[in-house]
Amino acid sequence: MGRKYSVAAVATCVAALMVGVSGCGGDGGKKSGGDKHDSASSSAGPAPQQSPPKPKGEVDGLSAKEISDKAKKELQSASAVRIKLDRDKSAAGSAMHAEYAMDKQGNCVGKITQDDAGFEMLKQGDEYWIKPDENFWRKNSGSSDPETASKLLSGHWFHGNSKEGDGGPFKESGPVCQLGAMQEKLAKGDDDESADKFSKGAPTALDGQQVVPVTITGKSVINVAAEGKPYPVRIVSLKPGGGTTAFSDWEKPVTVTPPPANETLDVSKLKQSRHA
């Protein structure tokens, strides 16, 4: 082609992201209990109905450590989830926003932005498609003419198989867009944390949902659903540059539609043409 660029930079950038990677209503009014001929009572009409009790959540009465453990187990056993990760720019790194939905069938749809550059990502089994934007290629093409390279390469989906040959650049993607791999990583996590490092806050509303905040000293605040299954709703890192991770769409299957062939470049063929 006459222009140097590094397709592997895409997968390497993706991999880095994961490595650098949670009472009842009122009493319905006074009981009558008084004179049944009380004119004030009779004129007030029927007493308001008592609000039905709210369903008890699985975290009621549990300790902070127990709530954290339940949230972790829900994440480990989920068949599908959508994750949003936001990290502000700090002295330790760059600003980042990542959002991807993935399921245990190997499907994933994601979009990742780091500072002002990013890419879209699709995964279906061992097949990957990645479409970087122009700013990504300006920074990562490896070309002596990054402006021309960015215009040439952007707008294309780069397709590869993570098990093809030596795995190609997509072998480096690690647990990115792989729910099972992420769950395995979690299984090796913080079981050694002692209970005295966990503290529980009062139930509060978060984006219209009741949650119980659990703080792990010096590490994170895990907001766990107070009603129904104890899913982690949002995890806020207490470490510099750690960011916030939000979870939604639990157990919702992910549909992946591969890009059309005329918008796709096969990574293995590109590698062969460069060595021809």
Side-chain angles (χ1 to χ4, degrees):
M1 291 178 62
R3 298 182 180 92
K4 290 179 59 182
Y5 58 88
S6 173
V7 175
V10 181
T12 302
C13 179
V14 177
L17 296 176
M18 274 310 276
V19 174
V21 299
S22 258
C24 299
D27 63 5
K30 296 180 179 179
K31 297 179 181 179
S32 57
D35 189 340
K36 64 180 178 180
H37 299 295
D38 187 324
S39 59
S41 298
S42 60
S43 63
Q49 292 185 346
Q50 189 176 38
S51 300
K54 292 181 180 178
K56 289 188 66 176
E58 295 185 28
V59 300
D60 287 5
L62 298 183
S63 70
K65 178 70 163 62
E66 290 170 334
I67 294 173
S68 175
D69 288 344
K70 274 188 169 289
K72 181 179 177 180
K73 286 180 179 178
E74 291 297 339
L75 184 52
Q76 286 177 311
S77 62
S79 64
V81 66
R82 177 180 293 274
I83 298 177
K84 292 182 182 180
L85 174 62
D86 284 286
R87 185 182 68 197
D88 292 332
K89 189 169 186 176
S90 67
S94 55
M96 183 179 70
H97 173 77
E99 181 174 350
Y100 40 98
M102 51 190 173
D103 63 26
K104 277 193 170 178
Q105 281 63 53
N107 300 306
C108 180
V109 177
K111 186 172 183 179
I112 300 171
T113 303
Q114 195 159 3
D115 287 337
D116 60 348
F119 52 87
E120 297 175 63
M121 183 175 191
L122 300 174
K123 178 179 177 294
Q124 194 174 58
D126 297 322
E127 305 291 322
Y128 282 85
W129 294 264
I130 292 180
K131 184 169 75 171
D133 59 23
E134 286 192 24
N135 279 344
F136 181 95
W137 285 123
R138 285 190 185 97
K139 295 181 177 182
N140 298 284
S141 67
S143 170
S144 58
D145 183 1
E147 189 65 32
T148 300
S150 68
K151 293 186 181 301
L152 176 69
L153 295 170
S154 63
H156 294 289
W157 288 92
F158 288 79
H159 170 243
N161 187 306
S162 62
K163 292 187 176 180
E164 200 171 76
D166 62 358
F170 296 99
K171 187 176 182 180
E172 301 175 35
S173 60
V176 176
C177 261
Q178 297 187 45
L179 181 56
M182 185 190 75
Q183 290 169 326
E184 288 179 12
K185 186 176 179 181
L186 280 170
K188 302 173 183 178
D190 301 321
D191 292 334
D192 58 339
E193 293 282 10
S194 57
D196 61 0
K197 291 187 177 180
F198 293 77
S199 59
K200 179 173 61 173
T204 186
L206 179 62
D207 296 333
Q209 182 176 1
Q210 284 292 307
V211 298
V212 176
V214 172
T215 300
I216 306 176
T217 303
K219 182 170 282 190
S220 61
V221 177
I222 307 170
N223 293 281
V224 182
E227 299 170 2
K229 285 188 174 292
Y231 291 122
V233 176
R234 184 183 296 174
I235 299 176
V236 181
S237 174
L238 299 178
K239 298 180 179 180
T244 299
T245 306
F247 303 87
S248 62
D249 292 349
W250 294 95
E251 319 304 340
K252 183 177 179 180
V254 178
T255 301
V256 175
T257 302
N262 63 350
E263 296 179 12
T264 304
L265 297 174
D266 191 287
V267 172
S268 61
K269 291 180 180 178
L270 284 172
K271 289 173 69 178
Q272 290 172 9
S273 66
R274 293 183 69 194
H275 293 292

